Structures are given as C-alpha cells and as structure tokens.
Amino acid sequence: MSEANVPPGVSGAGRAEAASVARWRAALPAAFGPLPRQRAWRAAGGALFLVWLAWAFWLFDITPARLWGGLSGLFTILRLMVPPSPGELWGDILEGIAESVAMAFLGTVLAAVFAVPLGFLGARNIVTTTLLRFSLRRVFDGMRGVDQLIWALAFVRAVGLGPLAGVLALAVSDLATLSKLYAEAIENTERRQAEGVTAAGGSRLMAVRFGVLPQVLPVMLAQALYFFESNTRSASILGVVGAGGIGLQIAERIKVRHWDEVAFIIILMVITVGVIDWLGGRLRRRLIGERPRA
C-alpha cells in the first residue's frame, strides 16, 4: 500500500503511521474488524434466529396475555402459601421427608460403589483395549440419556410401588454419570505414583490400588456427597409416580389446593438439603483433610 492512499493534510510521523496502518489493513483485513461477508453471514444468522424464536413462540402459544395470566396465578399461589402450615397430617410429612433422605442415601451408595470399578474400566490409562473402553463409555451415555422419572416408572412396573423403585431409579441413573466422572478423574491422575509402585516391584493391581486410587478417592468422595445432596431433591419428585418419598405428599396437597402445607413441605426440604450439605462438607474435610489457611 503506497502513501498515495493516505488522507491529505497528514504529514511527517502521522503520515508514516497512517501508511503503516493502511499496509497492515491490506495484509490482515480480519484483524481490523469483520469482513463484509462475515457481517452478512452474522446478519443472516441473527435474522434466522429471530424467525425461529418467533415460530417457537407461535408454536407454544406464548403470548403476553397468557404470560400475565400465569404470573397472576403464581402470585395468588404464593399468597396462599403464607403462612406455611404443617396441617393435621404433619407426621406423614416427616415420614415422607425421612423416606426421601433414605432413598437418596441408598441410591447414592449403590451408584457410588458400583461406579468405582466401572470408572476404572472406562479410564484410558487403565484399560488399553479401545473396543472395551469405547463400548462401556457408550453404555454410560445411553444410561445417562434416560431421565430418573423414566427409570422410576420402569421400576414401579417391575418391583411395584414404594421406595424400592425410587432407590433403584436413583442408583441406575447416577451409576452412569458417576462412572463417567470417575473415569475422567482417573485419566487425569499423575502417572509417577503408579510408576513408582511398579518400579518398586508391585503388580499392576497394586499400582492401581496404591498409586491411582489415593489420588482419585477425594474426588470420588466429593462427587458422591454432591450426588447425595442432589438425590435428596430428586427423591422428592419420584414419589409423584409412586416411587416413594415426600413427592406423593406434595402431589396430594397440590390436588386439593392446600398451598400452606405445600409451602411447609418445601421449607422442610430446603432445610434438609442445607443440613445434608453442611454435614457433607464436614465429613469431606474430616476424611480428606483441610488445607491450612494462609
């Protein structure tokens, strides 16, 4: 780019700098902003997104009047929830909360225990057979693709109504997710510890036991505790389909519009999850150890 393209009235250092900018703009036009073609593609993409959004609003009948009516109904429900009340059957509520916590605990324990060997089998640095590892990972993906409610419906048909169906639904649903998380944690471990065990004369199994497992055990424990907390919330929903827990109590009170009792149950669930989170944090620090503060 010659200096002839520099705007008039600029001389000296300014003229040289403008010429330099012009040369760089000609050599690297994308560095100075989007090209006309890129701007056109972005405009077309934005227009296509707006068309798709308008079509989705029309398909689901999302209108301002309907949204306002829904918000008005929601505010009415919130007003009816105040003040919360346990009702006459408060004993059933406490029993349902305890059942949900027990379901979450048993389902998480089963999933975490069986996920440990499956996680090692799905780890690239443990199992070198690509076909076995790939097949197992795809099984994990398929199991994760099925929601907990679907598993609950299936197990209700298989073992009948009650908390057993909820425990199995939680265990199977979490098994695939925990196995994948454990496998990824195992793949990210430091190789030197396992190699040190092998160099000292240990077998491959001992290298896994003393070189890999101590590294991933804190991660496994932390993830299992998180899933226990999450499953406490999930177990409260599974009761809606007959899989036990507090969900049935919630569904029955919503049907008869006892919103004050629904609010009481929700508050109990929030307190329960908070207590489980606090206890889980203390347990994790006790088993793993807490780093000294600076």
Side-chain angles (χ1 to χ4, degrees):
M1 180 68 64
S2 63
E3 296 186 359
N5 295 326
V6 179
V10 180
S11 60
R15 187 176 181 86
E17 183 178 356
S20 177
V21 171
R23 287 195 298 270
W24 281 111
R25 186 184 297 273
L28 300 171
F32 291 85
L35 299 175
R37 181 185 301 177
Q38 293 176 335
R39 289 196 293 267
W41 277 109
R42 291 178 183 178
L48 184 62
F49 172 77
L50 292 177
V51 170
W52 174 84
L53 189 63
W55 174 79
F57 272 64
W58 172 81
L59 180 66
F60 298 122
D61 192 21
I62 301 177
T63 59
R66 189 176 181 185
L67 289 175
W68 179 253
L71 290 176
S72 301
L74 180 61
F75 290 143
T76 301
I77 292 174
L78 292 177
R79 285 197 301 269
L80 293 175
M81 285 184 172
V82 180
S85 171
E88 298 179 356
L89 302 177
W90 58 271
D92 294 341
I93 295 177
L94 296 180
E95 182 180 353
I97 290 287
E99 192 173 84
S100 295
V101 174
M103 287 169 51
F105 178 77
L106 291 176
T108 305
V109 168
L110 289 175
V113 169
F114 286 100
V116 172
L118 292 177
F120 278 99
L121 291 176
R124 184 180 296 105
N125 56 340
I126 302 298
V127 176
T128 57
T129 305
T130 305
L131 180 60
L132 174 61
R133 188 180 64 253
F134 178 82
S135 302
L136 194 60
R137 286 292 190 98
R138 300 294 75 77
V139 172
F140 294 162
D141 295 340
M143 294 176 64
R144 288 200 313 275
V146 181
D147 190 73
Q148 287 179 344
L149 284 175
I150 305 300
W151 287 114
L153 288 171
F155 282 116
V156 164
R157 295 284 296 177
V159 302
L161 299 173
L164 176 59
V167 171
L168 295 176
L170 293 173
V172 173
S173 176
D174 292 345
L175 176 62
T177 305
L178 284 175
S179 298
K180 183 178 184 297
L181 293 175
Y182 289 177
E184 292 178 350
I186 294 168
E187 290 177 351
N188 292 325
T189 55
E190 179 64 39
R191 297 172 54 185
R192 295 178 181 178
Q193 297 187 23
E195 292 174 353
V197 175
T198 305
S203 62
R204 182 171 178 79
L205 182 60
M206 294 178 64
V208 172
R209 167 62 183 86
F210 297 102
V212 177
L213 186 59
Q215 298 185 58
V216 297
L217 191 58
V219 179
M220 291 179 175
L221 178 60
Q223 290 171 345
L225 290 174
Y226 170 74
F227 270 75
F228 174 41
E229 174 194 339
S230 177
N231 285 338
T232 305
R233 297 188 297 268
S234 300
S236 63
I237 303 299
L238 299 182
V240 177
V241 297
I246 194 63
L248 182 60
Q249 305 286 339
I250 298 176
E252 290 178 350
R253 283 158 176 79
I254 289 178
K255 289 180 181 178
V256 296
R257 301 180 184 276
H258 289 175
W259 297 110
D260 54 343
E261 298 182 19
V262 173
F264 180 79
I265 295 175
I266 293 175
I267 293 174
L268 280 184
M269 290 171 55
V270 172
I271 295 174
T272 302
V273 172
V275 171
I276 291 175
D277 180 56
W278 178 74
L279 292 176
R282 289 182 61 89
L283 178 62
R284 183 169 56 250
R285 289 190 296 269
R286 185 177 182 85
L287 296 178
I288 301 173
E290 187 173 8
R291 296 181 179 178
R293 297 181 179 179

